């Protein structure tokens, strides 16, 4: 089964079968997540999207949904995300339930996808009742992108909330992300070195 799925990947990406199988063997512990992701990607690619237009695409899509459903029942987050993507057109209620489960778990990929969509729409600004809890979850998980997007939304409010914006910028800088620098009105002040803190050299 492992080799069969590896060859399916080869047909799609035109890779060397031996290299693909060797890679999967090398990362055997992570092989299941990799293969589940590949199943979902192939299903979306071959059938032209969630609608499943072609006959071959529908057959592959049904097979993929069965495999992903079994993994999702066992709590596999990646399978749940892919399953939600595959079923959002045909069964939007099921897709919504899966995404709600992932949000409640604090699944970072799902949170960032929601925030990215919210940033494009710019609905309600940084204080949107829908976006705010997602921002809080993602920022607590240490997401650089969530911190940067949050600072951007606060800076675009009229008038900007300076104190909260500065805190958002400092949070971003604490993650070693320089995208926080433009949001600071003044440069960070560091304590000056005291030259008298070291004893002067005494010549013998």
């Amino acid at each position: 089964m492992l080799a069969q799925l590896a060859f399916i990947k080869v047909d799609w990406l035109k890779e060397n079968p031996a290299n693909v199988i060797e890679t999967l063997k090398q990362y055997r512990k992570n092989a299941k997540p990799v293969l589940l992701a590949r199943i979902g990607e192939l299903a979306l690619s071959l059938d032209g999207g969630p609608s499943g237009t072609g006959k071959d695409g529908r057959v592959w899509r049904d097979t993929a949904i069965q495999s992903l459903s079994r993994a999702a029942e066992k709590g596999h987050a990646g399978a749940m995300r892919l399953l939600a993507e595959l079923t959002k057109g045909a069964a939007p209620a099921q897709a919504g339930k899966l995404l709600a489960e992932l949000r409640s778990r604090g699944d970072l990929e799902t949170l960032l996808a929601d925030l990215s969509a919210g940033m494009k729409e710019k609905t309600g600004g940084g204080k949107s009742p829908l976006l705010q809890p997602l921002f809080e979850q993602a920022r607590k998980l240490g997401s650089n992108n969530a911190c940067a997007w949050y600072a951007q939304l606060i800076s675009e409010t009229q008038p900007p909330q300076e104190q909260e914006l500065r805190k958002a910028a400092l949070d971003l800088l604490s993650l070693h992300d320089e995208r926080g620098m433009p949001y600071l009105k003044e440069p960070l002040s560091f304590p000056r070195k005291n030259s008298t803190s070291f004893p002067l050299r005494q010549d013998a």
Side-chain angles (χ1 to χ4, degrees):
M1 187 64 178
L2 184 69
Q4 183 180 0
L5 287 171
F7 273 101
I8 291 173
K9 176 184 176 183
V10 170
D11 290 340
W12 187 39
L13 297 179
K14 306 299 182 185
E15 296 180 9
N16 185 333
N19 292 343
V20 175
I21 294 174
E22 189 60 36
T23 301
L24 291 172
K25 286 180 179 178
Q26 182 180 356
Y27 299 102
R28 187 175 297 275
K29 291 181 180 179
N30 296 323
K32 185 175 180 179
V34 170
L35 292 175
L36 285 171
R38 185 61 56 197
I39 287 172
E41 289 171 7
L42 282 167
L44 288 170
S45 174
L46 294 175
D47 74 358
S51 59
T53 51
K55 180 181 177 182
D56 294 338
R58 285 196 298 271
V59 172
W60 174 252
R61 179 177 174 275
D62 292 341
T63 303
I65 287 177
Q66 291 175 10
S67 300
L68 293 170
S69 295
R70 287 194 295 269
E73 288 173 1
K74 296 179 181 179
H76 191 284
M80 293 173 73
R81 283 193 300 272
L82 289 165
L83 193 58
E85 179 68 16
L86 281 168
T87 57
K88 68 180 180 183
Q94 180 188 357
K97 187 176 179 181
L98 288 167
L99 292 174
E101 169 68 18
L102 289 169
R103 290 187 198 102
S104 68
R105 289 187 189 186
D107 182 70
L108 186 56
E109 287 190 40
T110 303
L111 294 175
L112 290 177
D114 290 342
L115 289 173
S116 177
M119 284 293 296
K120 290 176 183 176
E121 295 175 5
K122 295 291 178 69
T123 53
K127 290 299 182 183
S128 166
L130 297 176
L131 288 181
Q132 190 66 21
L134 301 180
F135 268 120
E136 290 176 1
Q137 279 184 286
R139 290 167 70 203
K140 285 178 182 177
L141 292 171
S143 168
N144 293 48
N145 279 340
C147 289
W149 294 339
Y150 187 68
Q152 180 182 336
L153 281 176
I154 294 174
S155 71
E156 292 173 355
T157 59
Q158 299 294 332
Q161 303 164 45
E162 297 295 342
Q163 186 174 357
E164 191 172 354
L165 178 58
R166 180 174 175 80
K167 184 181 182 304
L170 292 174
D171 287 343
L172 189 55
L173 288 171
S174 71
L175 297 173
H176 306 286
D177 192 323
E178 294 183 359
R179 283 180 292 179
M181 292 299 291
Y183 299 114
L184 295 173
K185 297 289 185 182
E186 55 192 33
L188 293 174
S189 58
F190 296 97
R192 297 181 63 183
K193 291 182 180 179
N194 188 353
S195 60
T196 60
S197 60
F198 299 100
L200 295 174
R201 180 179 174 184
Q202 299 285 338
D203 290 330

Tab-separated table of all heavy atoms in Angstrom, residues 100-120:
chain	number	residue	atom	x	y	z
A	100	ALA	N	-15.114	23.575	12.930
A	100	ALA	CA	-15.422	24.019	14.294
A	100	ALA	C	-14.669	23.174	15.318
A	100	ALA	O	-14.173	23.702	16.323
A	100	ALA	CB	-16.930	23.936	14.534
A	101	GLU	N	-14.577	21.880	15.048
A	101	GLU	CA	-13.826	20.987	15.943
A	101	GLU	C	-12.352	21.379	15.979
A	101	GLU	O	-11.724	21.427	17.042
A	101	GLU	CB	-13.987	19.548	15.464
A	101	GLU	CG	-13.063	18.537	16.115
A	101	GLU	CD	-13.362	18.300	17.588
A	101	GLU	OE1	-14.473	18.651	18.030
A	101	GLU	OE2	-12.486	17.770	18.287
A	102	LEU	N	-11.794	21.687	14.811
A	102	LEU	CA	-10.382	22.078	14.746
A	102	LEU	C	-10.143	23.409	15.455
A	102	LEU	O	-9.137	23.585	16.137
A	102	LEU	CB	-9.938	22.165	13.282
A	102	LEU	CG	-9.803	20.826	12.551
A	102	LEU	CD1	-9.618	21.042	11.060
A	102	LEU	CD2	-8.638	20.017	13.108
A	103	ARG	N	-11.069	24.365	15.298
A	103	ARG	CA	-10.921	25.646	15.988
A	103	ARG	C	-10.962	25.455	17.501
A	103	ARG	O	-10.206	26.084	18.237
A	103	ARG	CB	-12.035	26.602	15.551
A	103	ARG	CG	-11.917	27.091	14.129
A	103	ARG	CD	-12.948	28.150	13.825
A	103	ARG	NE	-13.112	28.319	12.393
A	103	ARG	CZ	-14.124	27.824	11.695
A	103	ARG	NH1	-15.070	27.135	12.294
A	103	ARG	NH2	-14.190	28.015	10.388
A	104	SER	N	-11.867	24.585	17.957
A	104	SER	CA	-11.984	24.361	19.403
A	104	SER	C	-10.725	23.718	19.969
A	104	SER	O	-10.396	23.906	21.134
A	104	SER	CB	-13.201	23.482	19.704
A	104	SER	OG	-13.011	22.161	19.212
A	105	ARG	N	-10.009	22.978	19.127
A	105	ARG	CA	-8.745	22.360	19.546
A	105	ARG	C	-7.594	23.357	19.533
A	105	ARG	O	-6.530	23.082	20.064
A	105	ARG	CB	-8.363	21.233	18.585
A	105	ARG	CG	-9.207	20.003	18.648
A	105	ARG	CD	-8.516	19.003	17.759
A	105	ARG	NE	-9.291	17.807	17.531
A	105	ARG	CZ	-8.804	16.768	16.873
A	105	ARG	NH1	-7.574	16.817	16.379
A	105	ARG	NH2	-9.534	15.698	16.690
A	106	GLY	N	-7.808	24.492	18.862
A	106	GLY	CA	-6.709	25.436	18.688
A	106	GLY	C	-5.752	25.010	17.600
A	106	GLY	O	-4.539	25.222	17.703
A	107	ASP	N	-6.293	24.391	16.527
A	107	ASP	CA	-5.455	23.955	15.414
A	107	ASP	C	-4.937	25.177	14.661
A	107	ASP	O	-5.717	25.935	14.071
A	107	ASP	CB	-6.269	23.057	14.476
A	107	ASP	CG	-5.446	22.537	13.319
A	107	ASP	OD1	-4.557	21.698	13.543
A	107	ASP	OD2	-5.686	22.985	12.175
A	108	LEU	N	-3.616	25.369	14.678
A	108	LEU	CA	-3.034	26.611	14.169
A	108	LEU	C	-3.286	26.804	12.681
A	108	LEU	O	-3.576	27.922	12.238
A	108	LEU	CB	-1.536	26.647	14.470
A	108	LEU	CG	-0.826	27.957	14.118
A	108	LEU	CD1	-1.485	29.147	14.804
A	108	LEU	CD2	0.647	27.892	14.503
A	109	GLU	N	-3.177	25.752	11.883
A	109	GLU	CA	-3.384	25.900	10.435
A	109	GLU	C	-4.801	26.378	10.124
A	109	GLU	O	-5.004	27.223	9.252
A	109	GLU	CB	-3.090	24.577	9.724
A	109	GLU	CG	-1.608	24.227	9.656
A	109	GLU	CD	-1.347	23.052	8.735
A	109	GLU	OE1	-1.988	22.973	7.668
A	109	GLU	OE2	-0.509	22.211	9.085
A	110	THR	N	-5.776	25.841	10.846
A	110	THR	CA	-7.160	26.256	10.633
A	110	THR	C	-7.369	27.698	11.076
A	110	THR	O	-8.028	28.495	10.397
A	110	THR	CB	-8.123	25.328	11.397
A	110	THR	OG1	-7.916	23.983	10.969
A	110	THR	CG2	-9.574	25.708	11.147
A	111	LEU	N	-6.791	28.049	12.227
A	111	LEU	CA	-6.919	29.414	12.727
A	111	LEU	C	-6.314	30.414	11.743
A	111	LEU	O	-6.909	31.459	11.457
A	111	LEU	CB	-6.224	29.548	14.085
A	111	LEU	CG	-6.830	28.753	15.249
A	111	LEU	CD1	-5.953	28.886	16.484
A	111	LEU	CD2	-8.236	29.224	15.546
A	112	LEU	N	-5.133	30.094	11.217
A	112	LEU	CA	-4.472	31.012	10.284
A	112	LEU	C	-5.249	31.130	8.973
A	112	LEU	O	-5.289	32.208	8.369
A	112	LEU	CB	-3.042	30.553	10.014
A	112	LEU	CG	-2.066	30.699	11.188
A	112	LEU	CD1	-0.700	30.141	10.827
A	112	LEU	CD2	-1.947	32.159	11.613
A	113	ALA	N	-5.849	30.029	8.519
A	113	ALA	CA	-6.660	30.094	7.299
A	113	ALA	C	-7.856	31.016	7.510
A	113	ALA	O	-8.193	31.830	6.642
A	113	ALA	CB	-7.131	28.697	6.906
A	114	ASP	N	-8.498	30.911	8.678
A	114	ASP	CA	-9.633	31.789	8.983
A	114	ASP	C	-9.192	33.247	9.071
A	114	ASP	O	-9.865	34.149	8.562
A	114	ASP	CB	-10.271	31.374	10.306
A	114	ASP	CG	-10.999	30.045	10.204
A	114	ASP	OD1	-11.299	29.621	9.078
A	114	ASP	OD2	-11.257	29.428	11.254
A	115	LEU	N	-8.062	33.473	9.726
A	115	LEU	CA	-7.569	34.839	9.892
A	115	LEU	C	-7.150	35.441	8.552
A	115	LEU	O	-7.378	36.624	8.294
A	115	LEU	CB	-6.394	34.858	10.867
A	115	LEU	CG	-6.760	34.603	12.328
A	115	LEU	CD1	-5.506	34.468	13.177
A	115	LEU	CD2	-7.643	35.715	12.869
A	116	SER	N	-6.547	34.623	7.704
A	116	SER	CA	-6.133	35.099	6.385
A	116	SER	C	-7.352	35.543	5.575
A	116	SER	O	-7.337	36.598	4.927
A	116	SER	CB	-5.378	33.995	5.642
A	116	SER	OG	-5.031	34.412	4.341
A	117	ALA	N	-8.414	34.746	5.630
A	117	ALA	CA	-9.642	35.114	4.921
A	117	ALA	C	-10.237	36.379	5.519
A	117	ALA	O	-10.705	37.265	4.791
A	117	ALA	CB	-10.646	33.970	5.001
A	118	GLY	N	-10.200	36.494	6.846
A	118	GLY	CA	-10.724	37.685	7.501
A	118	GLY	C	-9.926	38.925	7.167
A	118	GLY	O	-10.480	40.021	7.015
A	119	MET	N	-8.592	38.771	7.031
A	119	MET	CA	-7.750	39.908	6.678
A	119	MET	C	-8.069	40.414	5.271
A	119	MET	O	-8.030	41.611	4.998
A	119	MET	CB	-6.277	39.515	6.761
A	119	MET	CG	-5.732	39.426	8.171
A	119	MET	SD	-5.673	41.041	8.973
A	119	MET	CE	-4.486	41.893	7.938
A	120	LYS	N	-8.377	39.492	4.370
A	120	LYS	CA	-8.694	39.897	2.996
A	120	LYS	C	-10.018	40.656	2.940
A	120	LYS	O	-10.176	41.612	2.186
A	120	LYS	CB	-8.765	38.656	2.103
A	120	LYS	CG	-7.407	38.012	1.858
A	120	LYS	CD	-7.537	36.738	1.051
A	120	LYS	CE	-6.180	36.069	0.868
A	120	LYS	NZ	-6.286	34.773	0.164
